[in-house]
Amino acid sequence: MQDFDLTIRNGTVVTATDTFAADIGVKGGQIAALAKGLPAGKRDIDAAGKLVLPGGVDSHCHIEQLSSNGMMTADDFYSGTVSAAFGGTTTIIPFAAQHRGMKIRDVVADYAKRAREKAVVDYSFHLIVADPTEEALTQDLPAFIGKGITSFKVYMTYDRLKIDDYQMLDVLLTAEKHGALVMVHAENHDMIRWLAKRLLDRGHTAPKFHAVSHAPLAESEAANRVIHLSRLLDVPVLVVHVSGVETVRAIRAAQNLGARVYAETCPQYLFLKASDISRPGVEGGEVLLQPAAARRGLAERAVGRTRRRHVPGILVRPRPLPFRREREAAEGRQDDLQGHGERSPRDRAQDAAPFLRGRRQGAHQAERFRGADGDQPRAHVRSASAQGHDRGGVGRRSRDLGPGEGSEDRRCDAARQRRLHALRGPHDQGLAEIVVNRGRVVVEGGKLQADRGSGEFIPRGTPEPLEQERKPTTEMRLFKALIA
């Protein structure tokens, strides 16, 4: 009989496919046993009456990141990972952001140092590639892919971040050659720039005009363009934060043609609408989204269709005024409708909102939430903890544990969040009570139990979209031989 460092007993285990009664035994930071009737370990958690879910993977968040406008995100690696931990998220994947003129190796070294000193849960990185020079494409990107950073993000908008179609093709080919997935922020830069200038010239500077400048067609046009670039090379691509019906239709049409196009969406597009940006003062600034929220119905139809069939269903975090300057914008001092906001790993109450509310209405099962919040992000970014999945994760690192109270009622409001948040107000049930990461309890009794800098870097393998078996046509093989 094994001696366990930690046991979680008498709970109901939830995986992406099953819900069942079992005890969990952890040894050396790994789940060593999953069975009924396990003996108590050195530390024993009684999970009677609770769900035991694998911890969340926030595969798209922005913390301690300098924006293209020169603003630093409000969350650093400490505050961001503490917030994530309290919500049951035990692995985050933020972005090491290159701007033009920066060396990728310097960007990663600086970002890794920040995370190493502050993070309380585990982490990996995506790379934002804004300057795909020959050195970056032939030396830096292959080197960091080999070190487990196997996803890049590129932008089609923002002056200091956007790359053109020629550069996009270079990045796509490099990613496929070395085993990385390219994520794309798809918005037509010139559409936004033209609309923003005309609005500003006419004195339309309130936050609500941000939504006007980011027209849905700006997203769908850019998404269509990146889909065609992906199809040209037969290289997978992930379109991020999809918000509009036309973009969903474009993705669906491309997939029906066999294109290797994936997408992710955000819970804010389920619950926010364009008119929310007209809230007075600071509240309007909370709803500055990129792309902008659509009018009610359009966004919900888009998200619903996306999650049902064609898109991995990765849910990412809504962001609560992550850039400090956005408070000024919300108070009427905005001078650039193109300025962008990103997501930080706030309290997982917001991430869980679609599941929690849908479950009360009989629309979602716990297994589906588990898949969207953990297994699907892991597959697409291929974190190390995704290996060894067997009925709930025997062999998985114990970061994937989080007993949750089944009846706790908690309001997503400003006081509980300690910050402003666009989704505050609704009551949700079933939030994390104890959170475990690598066999150590990081949150218990409403208090942080982990030390600053105790999180670990998680190297990742080849993302699943690149590993799926695919037989290229003879024409594609000959074409790639010509351009290789």
Side-chain angles (χ1 to χ4, degrees), residues 114-150:
R114 295 170 186 263
R116 190 166 54 247
E117 293 174 348
K118 302 175 186 177
V120 302
V121 298
D122 293 341
Y123 56 90
S124 189
F125 303 140
H126 304 292
L127 277 175
I128 290 176
V129 179
D131 196 3
T133 62
E134 186 71 16
E135 179 183 9
L137 294 168
T138 60
Q139 298 178 36
D140 294 342
L141 294 180
F144 284 111
I145 292 171
K147 294 178 180 178
I149 301 177
T150 56

Side-chain angles (χ1 to χ4, degrees), residues 275-292:
S275 61
D276 288 326
I277 205 169
S278 297
R279 296 172 183 173
V282 173
E283 290 189 27
E286 296 174 7
V287 195
L288 292 175
L289 305 174
Q290 305 285 88

